[in-house]
Structure formats: C-alpha cells, structure tokens
Amino acid sequence: MSLLLQCRKTLETLSSEWSFCAGTVLGAAFPAALPVGLLLPFRRAVWFFAGAVCVLVSIALSRFAPPPEFRELLGERPANILYKVELTDPRLSAVPGIGVPAGVRCRLLELKFPGEKEWRSCRGEVLFYSRLPVPRACGTVLSGQGICRPPEHGSLWRLDGGLYRNEGTRFSLLALFQKGRDLLLARLCSGIRSDDCRQLAAAFFFGATGGMTPERRGPFTAAGTVHLFAVSGLHVGMVSVLLLLLLRFLPFRSRYFATAALTWVYVLLTGAAVPALRAGVMMTLFLLARGMLFKVSIRHLLGAAAGIAVVMDPASLSSPGFQYSFFITASLLLLGEKLVKLRELEAREFALMPRCPESTRKHRAFDRKFALFALAASGITAIAAGSVVSLGHDLPLAPGAVAANFLTLPVLGTLFALLPVKLLLSFGPVWLDHGCADLISGFFAYLLAVSRVTAELAAPFYAAPPAPWLSLVMAALLLTALGVKNARIAAISGVLFGVLLFSFPLRSFRASSLVALISSDSQLPPTVVITGRTAGASSVINPVYPHLDETERLLRRSGVSRIGAVGFSEPSVKNLSGLGPLSRRFAVEKLLLPPAARSSWQFWGRVSETPGDFVCVPPGMGAEKFQIFRKNSGFAIDYPDSGVMLSWKLDIRSTDSGRQVVFERKGRAPVRALLPWSNKSGVWQHEL
C-alpha cells in the first residue's frame, strides 16, 4: 500500500499535457497498461483516458477503413490494365534544371481491363514509371495502358505506364501550393550555375528531392548529414525563428499568430511530409501559447504535440522518424534548462560589476564563449540521442557524423538567413542576384565537400545492435543525465551512457566484415556467407550441409551469434540441406523464400518440416539489402546499398575447371578467383 501511495504521489506531479501524451502512448503501444491512469488524480485521469480514447478510436478507424479498391480488383498479382492516374508527388517541380524522380507517386483514379467498355472508379497510390518524360506538374491526369505490379520493397504498387496521353490538369490544393513553391524556387535557383548546387538547394529549402539521385545522396548518407535534405523539425524551426525576426514590426500577439500561420504555409509548400507535419504541430502549439500569453512550459507543449501526433497516426509511434523527432527534442529541452541555470550561475559576477567598457567587454566575451559551448553541447546531445534511436532500430552509424554535423551547423543558419535576401535580390540588378547565387552555391559546395571528406576518412558501419531493453536503458540514462538536479547522479548516468554508446560501434569495428564463398563438388550449390558491417545482421545463402563446418567457422570468427536472413538461389532440396543444423547452432530470424519453380514442391515440404523460430518471407516481400538473381550457369548477389557507399556485386558461375567468382565494387577493380572442383570445401573470402 505504501508503494502505491508513493507512486500516486509521484504521478500527481504530471501535467495535463503529459497525462494526455501518456494516455495516447499507452493506448497505442500497451493497451493492457491503461489501468495505470486510475492512480492519477481525477483531473489528470480525465486527460489520460481522453488521450487513450482518442488514439484507440484512431486505431479502430484505420483498421476498419476499406482497403484501396484497385487492390481488390487486381488481387496480389501483376495485371495488364488501362489506367487514369493523377500526379501527386511533392518531389516534382516545374522549374527547369530540377530533376524528376524515377518513380513518381500518383493517385489511381480509374481503371479497366482490356476488352471492358466502362471505366471502374478506384482509389489508391502507385509509383508510376514510363519511357516518356513525366509531366512536372502535380494534378496532371495521365491515361494509357500498362502493367500494375505488387510491391517488391515498400508499400506502393508499381505501374509501368508505357506510353501515355496527357488528359490535362485537375485543380487541387497540392497543385496550387506546388505552383507557389515553384515560383519561389525559380527565384532561388536563378543565377546558380552548378547543377549539383541547384539540386541541393531545391531539396534543402523546399523538399523538391527529385534530383537527389543515389550518387548525390551517397556522400551525405555516409557522412550522416542526409537529414539536411529532408524537411523536418530543423527546417521548420529555422523558418519559424526567421519569420519571428522578420515580423518584429508587428505587435507581440500578431507577430506570433502570423508566424504560426506562415509556418504552416511553409509546411504545405514543402509537400507536408510527415516529419514536417510533426514539427508544424509542435511549433504551432508553442507560438499560439506564447501569443495567448499562456505560461506553459515547453516540456508540456512537447507532450501535447507528441499526443496529437500519435492520435493522427498511431503507427508512427514505432517509426524511427517519430522517435528521432521527439526524443532528440526532449533531450535538447532538458539540456537547455540546464544551460540556462548554468549561465545564470556563471554570469552572476557581471551583475555586481559597475558598468564600464571593461566589464562590457568581458560580458560580451563570456556570451560568445558560452554560445559556442552551448552549440557544442547541443550538437553532442542531439547526435547522442539520435544514436540511441539508430541503435534501437539497427540503423547505420557514421563515425564522421559528429564532425560533419558540427562543421555544417554554422552554414545552415546562414543559408536560411540568405533565403529571403536571395528572393528579394532576384527582383533587383542581375549582378547582385548572381553574387548572392554564387554565395549560396559556395555554401552548398562546402556542405558537399565536408560530407565527401568525412565519408572517405571514416567509412560508415553498422554498429552491433543491442537488445531492445538495452536501448531503453540507454535512453533512460541519457534523460537522467540531462534531467536530474543531483550533479553526482547526472555524472554517473552520463558516464554509463557514454560507455554503452561507444561499446557497440567499437565491438562492430573490431569484428571482421567479409563476403565469403564456400565451394566443393559441382553437384552441390555454393554457400555464401555475409558477415559484419555490410549487411547489418549476418546472412547465409544456400546453407548446404557439407559446407556447414566452414560456414560456422566463418560466422564464429566474425563474432556472429544470430543470422538475420537465410536466402536461396533456387528452390532445390540441396540448397537447404544444412538449414536444420544451422538453425540449431545459430538463431535464424528469417527465411527469404525463392520464386516457385516446376519441382519446388519438395523444397516447400522440407522447409515446413524444418524446426526453428524463423519467419518465412515470400518472394519479393523481404526488406533485405541483398538481392539474388538466377543465371544459366550460376547466380549473382547484388548488394545495392549506394547510400553507405558499400555497394558490391558477387557473380558466381560454374565452369569446366571450377567455380568462377567475380567480386565487383564501385570505384575499384574487380576481384576474380577460381575455386577448382574438389572433394573438400574450398573457401574464397574478401574482407571489406
């Protein structure tokens, strides 16, 4: 009873906003824990259960909503259809020089099968591909005949449109905002001569990422700075601050209300992506609270914004983007409160000094040093919080991310400050406009150079993923180090967090990273082992029983305790003869099943008889980075992860004298080897 009373006393300190946030989170993630709200006082409990009811209703509506009709009509197989689609991709831009994405997001309006007379109205989004150049204006309606295919990766179907006919443009709010964005983007890009800088500027300021090809995106992904080209809280926050400064001539309340409205205009101009919407909700709550003179803590506004975001999309609670946004923001808010108190303590001596030039000079020097210290502390905290989320989702960590983000941070504020200047100068003399364009080009060239250098000096790697509970422990340690008032507890929590954070990258860095091929008799398929940083979790392709000892040796040498995926080059019983013993020696998570063949019924029967806790993934539904392609005399493995600059391709062919291996990696000479036929297993391996 005393424990319950103590818990109730602690929970009574929760505000209404945090009670609402807790109700939405528990309702979306742990519905069985909702009775915790009974421990709250009546007013807080009302907010708690209101949030829980809102998110449960949102979940019910999303689950009971009818699926897109075109999937019901087509089933789960490719179909040849006549279509009418409307372009709705916010990445499109009508500004000359801005690239078009390979697959354009469209809304399917009508379809019919060949031979039918009447069109069937339908709904749903598809990725549209065509041999003809796609129009650059949202709202354009296209019609033609093509093949609609189920998704191989992701959730959107693919429509190979072939030749199409332009049916005109329909009015929509998205098309209206796209025209306004293109007017601003044309003014911004006028005078920018470099194609790379033009594409980077369009993606950075307005989210027009059509020209961000994998080659352009690769250095930024490797350096950990690719987030700069996805409109999110950083961009929305900087635009809000810039608007507050530009609207200082307005009265106090009008300035904050106008900034909130113009912030949403910017969010809509950039395509209203999910990260921008979350940031827009957070900034709107803050600006409206300030404009109405409410004394509400930023912590409470963050809780309310998180609750609203969960109600809008309950599934976002488990997404990395949601966790990045709110966990990093919460960490920065806790750090900001500590920095404010530290500044008050350190600046107390200046309040006692008489006003004179010497004291003013010292005060300004102190402000500059403290601003640099606060900037460094904020950058380290944001990167540490983001690393916790990355580790929890087994996402890549870039060793040069800390240095790259620090070196680019001063440039970001300068670029947003130059944005209104460039838009105004585009109406003035040409030489001034081109001078400002050259300055912006120089800053983007600097961003590109920093990202390339850090990517080359510190190649990215996949840190050894921790257990889910350990990620929660690291998050709790970071929040404790930033939030508690006791300096000793904060220091201990910070040290423990640092030790845990750096142990995973170092553990992964020490482990070997290789691609290995095990081959023996020509009657047996080869086994491919992928370990280390290149695939996140290790993978085995064709677990053949005679190759099992060599497979285990390679995995143990790399410190592997689990196998993320087991793939097969073809549905043959020989290819999975070692699956049972392998699953007893290692924890196998997934089986990537190959496409069906004429005699594959024996393969499926053997798979169903194999004991194990693995999940069978149908062909084309896996999210693995490698892909397997059948060939006449062998097969090939393609690892097309150009984002982290570790793309490679392994080509395996059977010849009269042995098994020929060709390993290709972008920017390097191919590595060739020949494993002769033998009764013993031969091993070829290539370390990365």
Side-chain angles (χ1 to χ4, degrees), residues 144-372:
Q145 183 173 355
I147 299 177
C148 196
R149 309 176 188 274
E152 296 181 358
H153 303 284
S155 58
L156 292 181
W157 285 50
R158 171 177 177 143
L159 177 59
D160 294 322
L163 303 178
Y164 62 82
R165 184 174 59 202
N166 194 329
E167 301 285 349
T169 304
R170 298 176 57 179
F171 174 80
S172 65
L173 189 63
L174 177 64
L176 181 63
F177 275 100
Q178 190 210 27
K179 290 181 180 178
R181 183 200 65 183
D182 286 344
L183 290 176
L184 298 176
L185 191 55
R187 294 288 178 182
L188 173 67
C189 294
S190 63
I192 298 180
R193 290 184 278 271
S194 171
D195 185 57
D196 285 338
C197 294
R198 192 183 305 112
Q199 307 294 343
L200 295 178
F204 179 78
F205 288 112
F206 295 107
T209 58
M212 292 294 289
T213 59
E215 291 75 16
R216 286 194 179 98
R217 191 184 297 270
F220 297 101
T221 305
T225 55
V226 71
H227 62 91
L228 301 178
F229 303 97
V231 178
S232 58
L234 173 70
H235 304 73
V236 175
M238 286 192 172
V239 167
S240 299
V241 172
L242 183 63
L243 290 171
L244 283 175
L245 294 175
L246 294 176
L247 299 177
R248 289 182 65 88
F249 61 90
L250 294 176
F252 181 83
R253 288 190 173 185
S254 301
R255 181 165 79 246
Y256 278 89
F257 293 154
T259 301
L262 293 176
T263 298
W264 275 104
V265 171
Y266 175 74
V267 171
L268 294 174
L269 286 175
T270 58
V274 176
L277 287 175
R278 285 197 297 262
V281 170
M282 295 170 61
M283 289 304 303
T284 301
L285 290 177
F286 169 74
L287 293 170
L288 292 181
R290 288 283 293 170
M292 295 179 182
L293 303 179
F294 289 164
K295 291 185 177 181
V296 182
S297 172
I298 300 181
R299 289 191 191 183
H300 301 167
L301 295 176
L302 178 65
I308 293 172
V310 174
V311 170
M312 292 170 57
D313 183 12
S316 67
L317 185 62
S318 59
S319 67
F322 179 90
Q323 296 176 14
Y324 276 126
S325 298
F326 287 100
F327 187 64
I328 293 176
T329 305
S331 302
L332 291 176
L333 288 179
L334 293 175
L335 176 68
E337 293 179 358
K338 282 204 165 187
L339 290 177
V340 169
K341 294 179 181 179
L342 179 63
R343 190 186 185 286
E344 292 177 354
L345 184 64
E346 295 293 332
R348 188 177 301 174
E349 60 175 316
F350 296 106
L352 303 177
M353 289 183 180
R355 291 190 176 182
C356 62
E358 184 66 19
S359 64
T360 303
R361 184 183 61 80
K362 290 184 178 180
H363 199 174
R364 290 178 178 174
F366 169 78
D367 288 340
R368 287 193 295 269
K369 292 179 181 178
F370 193 85
L372 291 175

Side-chain angles (χ1 to χ4, degrees), residues 646-659:
L646 285 175
S647 301
W648 52 264
K649 184 176 181 180
L650 184 66
D651 196 317
I652 305 163
R653 297 181 182 180
S654 297
T655 63
D656 295 336
S657 55
R659 194 156 267 135

Side-chain angles (χ1 to χ4, degrees), residues 17-241:
E17 294 81 2
W18 280 109
S19 302
F20 178 79
C21 177
T24 58
V25 170
L26 289 181
F30 313 105
L34 287 179
V36 173
L38 298 176
L39 298 174
L40 295 171
F42 178 76
R43 184 179 176 184
R44 306 291 186 261
V46 169
W47 281 100
F48 179 89
F49 286 109
V53 169
C54 289
V55 75
L56 290 177
V57 170
S58 177
I59 293 173
L61 292 176
S62 63
R63 288 186 177 179
F64 290 105
E69 291 183 9
F70 83 91
R71 298 187 184 182
E72 293 181 348
L73 297 173
L74 302 182
E76 294 296 328
R77 63 186 187 279
N80 187 11
I81 62 171
L82 283 81
Y83 61 84
K84 287 184 180 179
V85 296
E86 178 187 358
L87 304 184
T88 58
D89 199 329
R91 298 174 298 173
L92 292 174
S93 175
V95 178
I98 304 301
V100 179
V104 179
R105 189 186 296 263
C106 302
R107 182 166 61 245
L108 197 57
L109 302 176
E110 294 179 332
L111 66 84
K112 66 178 180 179
F113 296 99
E116 293 183 344
K117 295 182 178 180
E118 296 184 357
W119 290 90
R120 305 187 188 190
S121 62
C122 58
R123 60 180 179 273
E125 287 191 328
V126 295
L127 282 176
F128 182 78
Y129 293 82
S130 177
R131 289 174 292 178
L132 297 178
V134 179
R136 295 169 173 263
C138 287
T140 304
V141 178
L142 307 178
S143 64
Q145 183 173 355
I147 299 177
C148 196
R149 309 176 188 274
E152 296 181 358
H153 303 284
S155 58
L156 292 181
W157 285 50
R158 171 177 177 143
L159 177 59
D160 294 322
L163 303 178
Y164 62 82
R165 184 174 59 202
N166 194 329
E167 301 285 349
T169 304
R170 298 176 57 179
F171 174 80
S172 65
L173 189 63
L174 177 64
L176 181 63
F177 275 100
Q178 190 210 27
K179 290 181 180 178
R181 183 200 65 183
D182 286 344
L183 290 176
L184 298 176
L185 191 55
R187 294 288 178 182
L188 173 67
C189 294
S190 63
I192 298 180
R193 290 184 278 271
S194 171
D195 185 57
D196 285 338
C197 294
R198 192 183 305 112
Q199 307 294 343
L200 295 178
F204 179 78
F205 288 112
F206 295 107
T209 58
M212 292 294 289
T213 59
E215 291 75 16
R216 286 194 179 98
R217 191 184 297 270
F220 297 101
T221 305
T225 55
V226 71
H227 62 91
L228 301 178
F229 303 97
V231 178
S232 58
L234 173 70
H235 304 73
V236 175
M238 286 192 172
V239 167
S240 299
V241 172

